[in-house]
Amino acid sequence: MTVRTRFAPSPTGYLHVGGARTALFNWLFARSHGGIFVLRVEDTDEARNTDAARQAIFDGMQWLGLDWDEGPGAGGPHAPYFQSERRAIYDAWFDKLQAAGRVYEDGGAWRFRFERQPVTMRDLVCGEVTIDYRDESNTPDMVIRRSDGSYVFHFVNVVDDLEMAITHVIRGEDHLMNTPKHLQLIEALGGVAPQYAHIPLILNPDGSKMSKRDAGAAVGDYPRQGFLAAAVVNFIALLGWSSKTEEEIFTLEDLVARFSLEAVNRAPARFDLEKCRWVNQQHLAKLSNAAFATLAAPFVQEAGLPLPENFAAVAAAVKDKVRLLSEVPAAADFILLDEIVLDDEVVAKLRANAAAAGLLEKLAVAFEGVGDWSGAAAKAVLNEVAAAAGVKPGQLMFPLRAALSGRGHGPDLGDILDLLGGARSIARVREFAATLAQG
């Protein structure tokens, strides 16, 4: 049997991280079993569906690397893949229910007649679940076709799964109680039910249900904020799934090799945007310096900063100092610009050090004697100036860093000296020494 999974979003907004997680788990399950991943669009709600929302789903999935084997743009033997274009198919299946006496009219709408007996489902994540349909007051016959002739989600969802030969339905736990209804429909239609796996809900850190308004909810925001697609996929996979090891950083290929429904947790997942930033930092660290510079360049340009010929070296210097590509401009601006902004707290701290201005002036004089400028040569001079002044080199490093960058932390001091070059480094040291002396 060929494994066939599907993702069936409704284009009423952007691609939510919860939807992306559902798509990912279906994609991973299909890929790990050499199966087929289907994308179909549940766009029967004409009042709420928009072309922009539909495109946001496609763009989001493509950015995440979740390609589909059948669906919009890819085609396939079960087209069309938009529910709005499948009305004739739904009508034919509805006729089957009508012929079997399983539907009846009620005020212009049509209801599906439940079998009044317990229905037990065996979920691949949640285990065995039973719904007792003998009490009609708790489980009234459900409407499957509205009075305006349109079909409800439960009916078209089941028909599409049967038509498209879906073998495994992996979806959010909020659909768990819908499944016994779907099983009754499938039986009435003479079909074979797929296996179901209901994955845990995604909650905010405070335990509340994640909504569309919460930070991190929209997949489309991640690339603009400087996240890597590989990192977001990695993070989303960890929302409800565990590798059963201490490892947390995975490529998409790693996830395909390791993913299983048995490793999906039963408990709700907690969304943590800080954890997502940390995961992104780990993925940035694995990039080559050239790849990192290429990805960082658009963010630097958007910030209005210049891109010098040595930008690859500039980017490499700040690579391990940022969690997001969008942080690169602020991390590197003191190298890219001639003017720097001084951190008031750092200046105040150094003004309290009576020797700092004099040491920096001596360092500037010594720097002028460096013929073949390099970070290593400049640091060697720093050691000599410190020794002559009877202080440890570390007592000069912090004032020098502040003079060169205006801040108290950042890239390796040798890298800064290399990138700024002799003339700019000396000028900044002199100017900062004068600033401290004026205080």
Side-chain angles (χ1 to χ4, degrees):
M1 177 189 72
T2 300
V3 166
R4 292 177 60 85
T5 66
R6 49 74 165 177
F7 177 50
S10 178
T12 57
Y14 51 75
L15 179 60
H16 188 274
V17 69
R21 197 261 313 252
T22 298
L24 174 62
F25 282 15
N26 278 280
W27 187 92
L28 289 173
F29 190 79
R31 292 290 176 263
S32 65
H33 288 83
I36 301 296
F37 175 61
V38 179
L39 174 64
R40 70 170 188 250
V41 181
E42 298 189 345
D43 60 343
T44 53
D45 188 344
E46 294 181 9
R48 298 178 62 212
N49 296 331
T50 68
D51 291 339
R54 187 182 298 115
Q55 192 60 48
I57 291 170
F58 300 157
D59 291 346
M61 291 184 64
Q62 288 167 348
W63 181 72
L64 292 169
L66 306 182
D67 56 324
W68 49 96
D69 304 296
E70 297 178 20
H78 304 287
Y81 292 93
F82 292 97
Q83 283 187 343
S84 59
E85 300 172 7
R86 296 173 62 81
R87 177 60 188 255
I89 295 171
Y90 303 141
D91 286 343
W93 285 85
F94 179 79
D95 290 345
K96 289 184 181 182
L97 292 179
Q98 206 168 17
R102 292 301 299 273
V103 293
Y104 61 93
E105 192 173 4
D106 178 17
W110 287 83
R111 290 184 179 272
F112 173 71
R113 198 187 309 275
F114 284 129
E115 292 284 355
R116 294 300 165 184
Q117 61 189 21
V119 175
T120 297
M121 60 170 290
R122 290 168 180 81
D123 189 86
L124 296 176
V125 173
C126 301
E128 190 171 284
V129 178
T130 299
I131 300 294
D132 193 344
Y133 281 85
R134 288 176 295 189
D135 185 352
E136 191 171 346
S137 66
N138 290 333
T139 55
D141 292 340
M142 69 174 172
V143 171
I144 63 169
R145 193 166 85 173
R146 304 179 184 91
S147 57
D148 64 2
S150 62
Y151 293 101
V152 303
F153 157 79
H154 300 292
F155 180 68
V156 296
N157 186 272
V158 162
V159 168
D160 286 345
D161 284 345
L162 293 177
E163 280 271 331
M164 297 179 184
I166 300 302
T167 62
H168 294 78
V169 173
I170 304 169
R171 59 189 180 187
E173 192 177 344
D174 50 335
H175 286 292
L176 182 62
M177 291 300 102
N178 292 331
T179 304
K181 301 175 185 178
H182 297 175
L183 290 173
Q184 285 227 30
L185 268 173
I186 291 168
E187 184 179 9
L189 291 168
V192 177
Q195 295 186 68
Y196 291 91
H198 288 86
I199 56 182
L201 298 178
I202 300 176
L203 304 179
N204 287 313
D206 64 1
S208 61
K209 186 176 179 180
M210 194 174 189
S211 75
K212 289 186 175 182
R213 294 179 300 275
D214 291 321
V219 171
D221 290 342
Y222 285 88
R224 291 191 291 269
Q225 293 172 5
F227 284 91
L228 298 177
V232 176
V233 165
N234 186 164
F235 172 71
I236 292 175
L238 299 177
L239 295 174
W241 171 83
S242 169
S243 67
K244 306 301 182 185
T245 70
E246 295 298 315
E247 294 178 81
E248 291 189 291
I249 305 304
F250 304 103
T251 65
L252 198 53
E253 293 73 20
D254 294 334
L255 292 171
V256 170
R258 294 171 182 246
F259 184 81
S260 72
L261 291 174
E262 290 78 15
V264 174
N265 302 321
R266 183 69 181 83
R270 296 293 179 105
F271 184 88
D272 184 348
L273 197 53
E274 280 300 303
K275 175 68 173 289
C276 189
R277 293 186 181 107
W278 175 82
V279 171
N280 196 70
Q281 186 176 35
Q282 309 313 304
H283 280 266
L284 288 177
K286 292 178 179 292
L287 293 175
S288 69
N289 288 345
F292 178 79
T294 298
L295 292 170
F299 291 89
V300 172
Q301 289 177 305
E302 188 176 345
L305 298 176
L307 282 180
E309 288 185 7
N310 69 338
F311 177 70
V314 174
V318 302
K319 181 180 169 186
D320 64 348
K321 304 299 179 182
V322 300
R323 296 179 300 171
L324 305 172
L325 291 168
S326 57
E327 295 173 353
V328 172
D333 59 359
F334 73 93
I335 301 172
L336 300 172
L337 297 173
D338 290 330
E339 297 294 327
I340 62 173
V341 177
L342 301 179
D343 184 315
D344 291 339
E345 188 175 328
V346 171
V347 172
K349 183 176 180 180
L350 286 171
R351 277 179 174 158
N353 178 358
L359 286 171
L360 284 174
E361 187 56 45
K362 290 178 180 178
L363 188 59
V365 172
F367 276 171
E368 288 177 336
V370 177
D372 189 8
W373 182 269
S374 70
K379 287 177 78 173
V381 167
L382 179 146
N383 291 336
E384 294 171 4
V385 171
V391 300
K392 294 180 179 179
Q395 291 177 257
L396 249 181
M397 286 183 178
F398 180 72
L400 176 58
R401 175 180 295 281
L404 298 176
S405 67
R407 58 197 71 167
H409 55 82
D412 178 81
L413 194 53
D415 289 340
I416 297 174
L417 290 161
D418 266 333
L419 292 166
L420 288 177
R424 285 209 294 170
S425 295
I426 294 167
R428 288 189 184 186
V429 171
R430 286 199 182 282
E431 186 175 343
F432 190 69
T435 298
L436 293 183
Q438 290 169 4

PDB file of all heavy atoms in Angstrom, residues 32 40 43 53 77 88 100 102 115 155 157 188 191 207 231 240 275 300 317 322-323 352:
ATOM      1  N   SER A  32       8.884   9.833   4.655  1.00  0.00           N
ATOM      2  CA  SER A  32       9.592   8.764   5.374  1.00  0.00           C
ATOM      3  C   SER A  32       9.105   7.379   4.962  1.00  0.00           C
ATOM      4  O   SER A  32       9.790   6.377   5.220  1.00  0.00           O
ATOM      5  CB  SER A  32       9.435   8.942   6.892  1.00  0.00           C
ATOM      6  OG  SER A  32       8.085   8.792   7.282  1.00  0.00           O
ATOM      7  N   ARG A  40      -4.638  19.947  -1.002  1.00  0.00           N
ATOM      8  CA  ARG A  40      -5.933  20.334  -1.556  1.00  0.00           C
ATOM      9  C   ARG A  40      -6.446  21.536  -0.764  1.00  0.00           C
ATOM     10  O   ARG A  40      -6.139  21.688   0.414  1.00  0.00           O
ATOM     11  CB  ARG A  40      -6.925  19.177  -1.541  1.00  0.00           C
ATOM     12  CG  ARG A  40      -7.435  18.754  -0.199  1.00  0.00           C
ATOM     13  CD  ARG A  40      -8.595  17.776  -0.368  1.00  0.00           C
ATOM     14  NE  ARG A  40      -9.238  17.485   0.889  1.00  0.00           N
ATOM     15  CZ  ARG A  40      -9.173  16.320   1.533  1.00  0.00           C
ATOM     16  NH1 ARG A  40      -8.479  15.321   1.014  1.00  0.00           N
ATOM     17  NH2 ARG A  40      -9.796  16.147   2.677  1.00  0.00           N
ATOM     18  N   ASP A  43     -11.769  25.596  -0.204  1.00  0.00           N
ATOM     19  CA  ASP A  43     -12.110  26.990  -0.489  1.00  0.00           C
ATOM     20  C   ASP A  43     -13.599  27.177  -0.803  1.00  0.00           C
ATOM     21  O   ASP A  43     -13.965  27.991  -1.643  1.00  0.00           O
ATOM     22  CB  ASP A  43     -11.271  27.510  -1.657  1.00  0.00           C
ATOM     23  CG  ASP A  43     -11.505  26.711  -2.933  1.00  0.00           C
ATOM     24  OD1 ASP A  43     -12.051  25.592  -2.855  1.00  0.00           O
ATOM     25  OD2 ASP A  43     -11.151  27.201  -4.015  1.00  0.00           O
ATOM     26  N   ALA A  53      -4.901  34.998   0.378  1.00  0.00           N
ATOM     27  CA  ALA A  53      -4.734  33.974   1.415  1.00  0.00           C
ATOM     28  C   ALA A  53      -4.303  32.648   0.805  1.00  0.00           C
ATOM     29  O   ALA A  53      -3.468  31.927   1.368  1.00  0.00           O
ATOM     30  CB  ALA A  53      -6.040  33.802   2.188  1.00  0.00           C
ATOM     31  N   PRO A  77      -3.872  12.729 -10.499  1.00  0.00           N
ATOM     32  CA  PRO A  77      -4.994  11.925 -10.994  1.00  0.00           C
ATOM     33  C   PRO A  77      -6.329  12.213 -10.316  1.00  0.00           C
ATOM     34  O   PRO A  77      -7.356  11.719 -10.764  1.00  0.00           O
ATOM     35  CB  PRO A  77      -4.540  10.494 -10.705  1.00  0.00           C
ATOM     36  CG  PRO A  77      -3.607  10.618  -9.533  1.00  0.00           C
ATOM     37  CD  PRO A  77      -2.899  11.918  -9.741  1.00  0.00           C
ATOM     38  N   ALA A  88     -19.697  18.722  -8.571  1.00  0.00           N
ATOM     39  CA  ALA A  88     -20.313  17.558  -9.220  1.00  0.00           C
ATOM     40  C   ALA A  88     -19.942  16.262  -8.507  1.00  0.00           C
ATOM     41  O   ALA A  88     -20.761  15.332  -8.407  1.00  0.00           O
ATOM     42  CB  ALA A  88     -19.900  17.496 -10.694  1.00  0.00           C
ATOM     43  N   ALA A 100     -29.404   5.333  -0.298  1.00  0.00           N
ATOM     44  CA  ALA A 100     -29.309   4.387   0.813  1.00  0.00           C
ATOM     45  C   ALA A 100     -30.216   4.764   1.983  1.00  0.00           C
ATOM     46  O   ALA A 100     -30.251   4.056   2.994  1.00  0.00           O
ATOM     47  CB  ALA A 100     -27.861   4.301   1.292  1.00  0.00           C
ATOM     48  N   ARG A 102     -29.880   7.330   3.974  1.00  0.00           N
ATOM     49  CA  ARG A 102     -29.096   7.808   5.133  1.00  0.00           C
ATOM     50  C   ARG A 102     -29.180   9.319   5.315  1.00  0.00           C
ATOM     51  O   ARG A 102     -28.536   9.859   6.210  1.00  0.00           O
ATOM     52  CB  ARG A 102     -27.632   7.391   4.980  1.00  0.00           C
ATOM     53  CG  ARG A 102     -27.384   5.902   5.085  1.00  0.00           C
ATOM     54  CD  ARG A 102     -27.849   5.306   6.416  1.00  0.00           C
ATOM     55  NE  ARG A 102     -27.171   5.880   7.555  1.00  0.00           N
ATOM     56  CZ  ARG A 102     -26.002   5.448   8.043  1.00  0.00           C
ATOM     57  NH1 ARG A 102     -25.393   4.436   7.450  1.00  0.00           N
ATOM     58  NH2 ARG A 102     -25.465   6.019   9.103  1.00  0.00           N
ATOM     59  N   GLU A 115     -26.076   6.052  12.733  1.00  0.00           N
ATOM     60  CA  GLU A 115     -26.415   4.767  13.337  1.00  0.00           C
ATOM     61  C   GLU A 115     -26.340   4.956  14.840  1.00  0.00           C
ATOM     62  O   GLU A 115     -25.337   5.455  15.360  1.00  0.00           O
ATOM     63  CB  GLU A 115     -25.418   3.690  12.896  1.00  0.00           C
ATOM     64  CG  GLU A 115     -25.498   3.322  11.424  1.00  0.00           C
ATOM     65  CD  GLU A 115     -26.691   2.429  11.118  1.00  0.00           C
ATOM     66  OE1 GLU A 115     -27.396   2.026  12.069  1.00  0.00           O
ATOM     67  OE2 GLU A 115     -26.924   2.153   9.931  1.00  0.00           O
ATOM     68  N   PHE A 155     -18.756  16.562   5.355  1.00  0.00           N
ATOM     69  CA  PHE A 155     -19.078  15.751   4.183  1.00  0.00           C
ATOM     70  C   PHE A 155     -17.999  15.853   3.112  1.00  0.00           C
ATOM     71  O   PHE A 155     -17.482  14.840   2.627  1.00  0.00           O
ATOM     72  CB  PHE A 155     -20.430  16.177   3.614  1.00  0.00           C
ATOM     73  CG  PHE A 155     -20.849  15.400   2.400  1.00  0.00           C
ATOM     74  CD1 PHE A 155     -21.174  14.056   2.485  1.00  0.00           C
ATOM     75  CD2 PHE A 155     -20.901  16.011   1.152  1.00  0.00           C
ATOM     76  CE1 PHE A 155     -21.559  13.329   1.358  1.00  0.00           C
ATOM     77  CE2 PHE A 155     -21.285  15.299   0.019  1.00  0.00           C
ATOM     78  CZ  PHE A 155     -21.613  13.957   0.131  1.00  0.00           C
ATOM     79  N   ASN A 157     -14.971  16.838   3.311  1.00  0.00           N
ATOM     80  CA  ASN A 157     -13.696  16.347   3.823  1.00  0.00           C
ATOM     81  C   ASN A 157     -13.601  14.834   3.660  1.00  0.00           C
ATOM     82  O   ASN A 157     -12.587  14.302   3.191  1.00  0.00           O
ATOM     83  CB  ASN A 157     -13.562  16.759   5.293  1.00  0.00           C
ATOM     84  CG  ASN A 157     -12.205  16.434   5.878  1.00  0.00           C
ATOM     85  OD1 ASN A 157     -11.991  15.345   6.376  1.00  0.00           O
ATOM     86  ND2 ASN A 157     -11.295  17.398   5.826  1.00  0.00           N
ATOM     87  N   ALA A 188     -21.210   4.594   5.632  1.00  0.00           N
ATOM     88  CA  ALA A 188     -22.440   4.747   4.856  1.00  0.00           C
ATOM     89  C   ALA A 188     -22.143   4.877   3.364  1.00  0.00           C
ATOM     90  O   ALA A 188     -22.946   4.463   2.521  1.00  0.00           O
ATOM     91  CB  ALA A 188     -23.216   5.958   5.351  1.00  0.00           C
ATOM     92  N   GLY A 191     -16.962   3.225   1.894  1.00  0.00           N
ATOM     93  CA  GLY A 191     -15.529   3.432   1.725  1.00  0.00           C
ATOM     94  C   GLY A 191     -14.695   2.769   2.805  1.00  0.00           C
ATOM     95  O   GLY A 191     -15.215   2.209   3.773  1.00  0.00           O
ATOM     96  N   GLY A 207       0.051  28.810  28.518  1.00  0.00           N
ATOM     97  CA  GLY A 207      -0.939  27.746  28.504  1.00  0.00           C
ATOM     98  C   GLY A 207      -2.208  28.076  27.742  1.00  0.00           C
ATOM     99  O   GLY A 207      -3.064  27.211  27.568  1.00  0.00           O
ATOM    100  N   ALA A 231      15.488  26.390   9.901  1.00  0.00           N
ATOM    101  CA  ALA A 231      15.370  26.538  11.355  1.00  0.00           C
ATOM    102  C   ALA A 231      13.914  26.522  11.796  1.00  0.00           C
ATOM    103  O   ALA A 231      13.559  25.937  12.823  1.00  0.00           O
ATOM    104  CB  ALA A 231      16.038  27.838  11.802  1.00  0.00           C
ATOM    105  N   GLY A 240       5.579  19.098  19.543  1.00  0.00           N
ATOM    106  CA  GLY A 240       4.749  17.901  19.621  1.00  0.00           C
ATOM    107  C   GLY A 240       5.441  16.620  19.220  1.00  0.00           C
ATOM    108  O   GLY A 240       4.892  15.537  19.381  1.00  0.00           O
ATOM    109  N   LYS A 275      12.922  30.118  21.927  1.00  0.00           N
ATOM    110  CA  LYS A 275      13.513  28.837  21.528  1.00  0.00           C
ATOM    111  C   LYS A 275      13.678  28.805  20.005  1.00  0.00           C
ATOM    112  O   LYS A 275      14.696  28.311  19.494  1.00  0.00           O
ATOM    113  CB  LYS A 275      12.594  27.690  21.986  1.00  0.00           C
ATOM    114  CG  LYS A 275      13.027  26.296  21.537  1.00  0.00           C
ATOM    115  CD  LYS A 275      14.307  25.859  22.219  1.00  0.00           C
ATOM    116  CE  LYS A 275      14.643  24.402  21.896  1.00  0.00           C
ATOM    117  NZ  LYS A 275      13.749  23.433  22.539  1.00  0.00           N
ATOM    118  N   VAL A 300      20.934  44.093   5.278  1.00  0.00           N
ATOM    119  CA  VAL A 300      21.825  45.244   5.430  1.00  0.00           C
ATOM    120  C   VAL A 300      21.417  46.359   4.474  1.00  0.00           C
ATOM    121  O   VAL A 300      21.352  47.537   4.850  1.00  0.00           O
ATOM    122  CB  VAL A 300      23.287  44.813   5.186  1.00  0.00           C
ATOM    123  CG1 VAL A 300      24.209  46.019   5.137  1.00  0.00           C
ATOM    124  CG2 VAL A 300      23.735  43.843   6.278  1.00  0.00           C
ATOM    125  N   ALA A 317      32.438  38.214  10.687  1.00  0.00           N
ATOM    126  CA  ALA A 317      32.852  38.685  12.013  1.00  0.00           C
ATOM    127  C   ALA A 317      31.692  38.722  12.999  1.00  0.00           C
ATOM    128  O   ALA A 317      31.895  38.541  14.205  1.00  0.00           O
ATOM    129  CB  ALA A 317      33.484  40.075  11.893  1.00  0.00           C
ATOM    130  N   VAL A 322      24.723  36.952  16.256  1.00  0.00           N
ATOM    131  CA  VAL A 322      23.317  37.232  15.941  1.00  0.00           C
ATOM    132  C   VAL A 322      22.502  35.945  15.975  1.00  0.00           C
ATOM    133  O   VAL A 322      23.018  34.848  15.744  1.00  0.00           O
ATOM    134  CB  VAL A 322      23.171  37.900  14.558  1.00  0.00           C
ATOM    135  CG1 VAL A 322      23.927  39.219  14.525  1.00  0.00           C
ATOM    136  CG2 VAL A 322      23.654  36.977  13.441  1.00  0.00           C
ATOM    137  N   ARG A 323      21.220  36.098  16.255  1.00  0.00           N
ATOM    138  CA  ARG A 323      20.295  34.966  16.202  1.00  0.00           C
ATOM    139  C   ARG A 323      19.442  35.001  14.940  1.00  0.00           C
ATOM    140  O   ARG A 323      18.953  33.976  14.485  1.00  0.00           O
ATOM    141  CB  ARG A 323      19.383  34.962  17.430  1.00  0.00           C
ATOM    142  CG  ARG A 323      20.114  34.749  18.745  1.00  0.00           C
ATOM    143  CD  ARG A 323      19.146  34.778  19.912  1.00  0.00           C
ATOM    144  NE  ARG A 323      18.444  36.065  19.995  1.00  0.00           N
ATOM    145  CZ  ARG A 323      17.421  36.296  20.807  1.00  0.00           C
ATOM    146  NH1 ARG A 323      16.974  35.342  21.597  1.00  0.00           N
ATOM    147  NH2 ARG A 323      16.847  37.484  20.834  1.00  0.00           N
ATOM    148  N   ALA A 352      34.845  56.905  34.412  1.00  0.00           N
ATOM    149  CA  ALA A 352      35.141  56.669  35.825  1.00  0.00           C
ATOM    150  C   ALA A 352      36.529  56.068  36.017  1.00  0.00           C
ATOM    151  O   ALA A 352      37.061  56.026  37.122  1.00  0.00           O
ATOM    152  CB  ALA A 352      34.082  55.740  36.437  1.00  0.00           C
TER     153      ALA A 352
END
